[in-house]
Amino acid sequence: MPIKGLLFDKDGTLLDYDQTWAPLNRAAALHVSGGDAELANRMLAHAGQDPVTDRVRPGSHLAAGTAVEIATAFADIYPDHGLEDLPSLIDAIFHMELAEQSTPVQGLNAVIDMFVRRGMRLGVVTADSERGALISLTPFNILHQFDFICGYDSGPAPKPDPAPVHAFCAETGLKTGEIAVIGDNHHDMAMGKAAGAGLVVGVLTGTSGHDELSTLADVVLDSINDLEACLIDRNLIV
């Protein structure tokens, strides 16, 4: 069955994870800690970001979690933070700096333009909020090329639940077997597999390495720049 739709994760797939999110994660932790750098470092480490290297651990709250899960991880270390509605506060901190901090993966516009010319239906499903997705992708003038944008707070369920894949299919009229799911972490792979996607693709531009992704992915690529060639090699597009 040919692939007619591509459902992309955002951070680590369309956007360079480290350059986009390491500074934002630190800004959120510092705000919650009231500027206490040592406490912020402990919160970051618990949530999955090495406070020295800023590398984010695959599968951690910061790698794949929603603002709700990040807030829970921060509160594990600092339960007396005294802040109301911590998930919304963390989202707000992210939103303030996303447009300036967002860094695309190399070749993003060329890849999206090429698949649009091929007639592919395109979607984004992210653990970020929907507003965060819109803010972070707006600078690259690609939002109009997507048929479907799904945040953790706007879709039927957050990843790894397969519901966002089914919602994308409902929006585009495609079958699940006609969809490729592309992402950089285990949640993306698990979502695609559970939904019965025609192809589940891991990319190495995010927080996970080949070993983490290959346990569920049908194929692991260096980046989305290799996706067209992969689909051609597998006779999924011509």
Side-chain angles (χ1 to χ4, degrees), residues 13 16 18 22 29 39 42 55 77-78 85 90 114 121-122 129 159 161 168-169 189-191 219 224 231 236-237:
T13 303
D16 181 289
D18 290 335
L39 176 57
R42 287 198 287 123
R55 292 292 297 172
I77 300 302
Y78 188 29
D85 198 357
I90 289 172
M114 176 271 298
R121 307 297 296 274
L122 306 180
S129 65
K159 298 183 285 188
D161 193 290
F168 177 55
C169 290
M189 307 299 97
M191 176 186 68
V219 61
I224 59 172
L231 295 173
L236 295 173
I237 58 172

Side-chain angles (χ1 to χ4, degrees), residues 39-72:
L39 176 57
N41 282 342
R42 287 198 287 123
M43 288 173 12
L44 285 170
H46 181 65
Q49 183 164 316
D50 187 306
V52 177
T53 66
D54 275 339
R55 292 292 297 172
V56 172
R57 187 172 65 250
S60 65
H61 293 297
L62 288 173
T66 66
V68 175
E69 293 166 308
I70 294 168
T72 298

Side-chain angles (χ1 to χ4, degrees), residues 57-141:
R57 187 172 65 250
S60 65
H61 293 297
L62 288 173
T66 66
V68 175
E69 293 166 308
I70 294 168
T72 298
F74 283 178
D76 285 344
I77 300 302
Y78 188 29
D80 299 323
H81 55 75
L83 300 169
E84 295 184 6
D85 198 357
L86 192 53
S88 294
L89 174 63
I90 289 172
D91 267 337
I93 294 167
F94 290 158
H95 295 163
M96 283 190 292
E97 300 189 41
L98 260 173
E100 182 175 344
Q101 196 63 46
S102 292
T103 304
V105 297
Q106 185 176 5
L108 173 63
N109 287 86
V111 170
I112 298 303
D113 287 347
M114 176 271 298
F115 281 121
V116 169
R117 289 195 302 270
R118 281 185 167 276
M120 286 281 185
R121 307 297 296 274
L122 306 180
V124 173
V125 56
T126 177
D128 195 3
S129 65
E130 180 175 339
R131 185 180 175 202
L134 298 176
I135 292 171
S136 58
L137 293 176
T138 292
F140 314 117
N141 194 33

